[in-house]
């Protein structure tokens, strides 16, 4: 299995709620630079948080890749979701090549959990893209292959 974990691009500092924060122009550029890393990857699904900035980031990636399947929005990719819950959802999907678009602290915690079995992963700035690989999406059983920071 190959799992790609993308943090949304830079977002506005304020909005009516955290979920409504939109990408800045710089955040859109960051998302497109990360999308370029994914060119040629045989993604089966793009899964995103329902928050506006993650939806915008996923939409930019979707368009840049010319992805022919719909974007999947799920409630289990919000900032404070337990990484173990995300791992269980990934297992249910049963796919081999997936992109997740989410937020801090979840993205770092998830990468750490999958790679080392504990929720202390690498720092991931806006639009950072982690590539993990392993036989199963289980805690401590995946390898961090690359980490791209635009």
């Amino acid at each position: 299995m190959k799992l790609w974990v993308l943090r949304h691009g830079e977002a506005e500092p304020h909005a009516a709620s955290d979920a409504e924060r939109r990408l800045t122009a710089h955040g859109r550029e960051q998302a497109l630079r990360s999308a370029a890393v994914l060119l040629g990857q045989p993604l089966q699904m793009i899964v995103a948080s329902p928050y506006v900035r993650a939806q915008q980031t996923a939409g930019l990636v979707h368009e840049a890749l010319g992805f022919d399947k719909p974007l999947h929005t799920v409630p289990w990719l919000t900032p404070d979701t337990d990484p173990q819950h995300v791992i269980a959802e990934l297992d249910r999907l049963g796919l081999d090549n997936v992109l997740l678009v989410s937020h801090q602290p979840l993205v770092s915690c998830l990468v750490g959990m999958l790679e080392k079995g504990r929720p202390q992963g690498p720092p991931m700035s806006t639009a950072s893209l982690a590539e993990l690989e392993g036989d199963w999406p289980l805690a401590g059983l995946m390898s961090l292959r690359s980490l791209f920071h635009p």
Side-chain angles (χ1 to χ4, degrees), residues 3-108:
L3 176 65
W4 299 88
V5 179
L6 175 62
R7 183 179 175 197
H8 63 81
E10 179 187 82
E12 304 170 326
H14 304 288
S17 72
D18 184 43
E20 295 175 52
R21 291 173 48 216
R22 302 181 60 78
L23 291 180
T24 63
H26 179 65
R28 288 189 293 278
E29 291 171 14
Q30 289 177 312
L32 291 172
R33 283 196 295 274
S34 291
V37 174
L38 294 164
L39 286 171
Q41 290 298 322
L43 292 175
Q44 295 170 287
M45 185 180 286
I46 298 174
V47 185
S49 158
Y51 286 23
V52 171
R53 61 193 179 274
Q55 287 288 302
Q56 290 177 313
T57 299
L60 288 165
V61 171
H62 189 275
E63 184 177 329
L65 297 178
F67 198 66
D68 62 352
K69 297 175 183 119
L71 177 65
H72 288 271
T73 301
V74 296
W76 45 265
L77 282 177
T78 55
D80 297 317
T81 301
D82 182 338
Q84 291 285 23
H85 180 72
V86 176
I87 291 170
E89 293 293 341
L90 283 171
D91 191 44
R92 280 188 200 90
L93 289 176
L95 299 172
D96 292 325
N97 205 321
V98 179
L99 169 65
L100 302 180
V101 182
S102 189
H103 316 266
Q104 281 288 52
L106 177 60
V107 291
S108 287

Side-chain angles (χ1 to χ4, degrees), residues 102-137:
S102 189
H103 316 266
Q104 281 288 52
L106 177 60
V107 291
S108 287
C109 291
L110 179 62
V111 171
M113 187 65 74
L114 288 167
E115 182 190 20
K116 298 175 184 166
R118 61 182 188 275
Q120 295 171 311
M124 291 184 66
S125 57
T126 51
S128 287
L129 177 66
E131 174 190 7
L132 294 131
E133 198 166 33
D135 291 334
W136 305 100

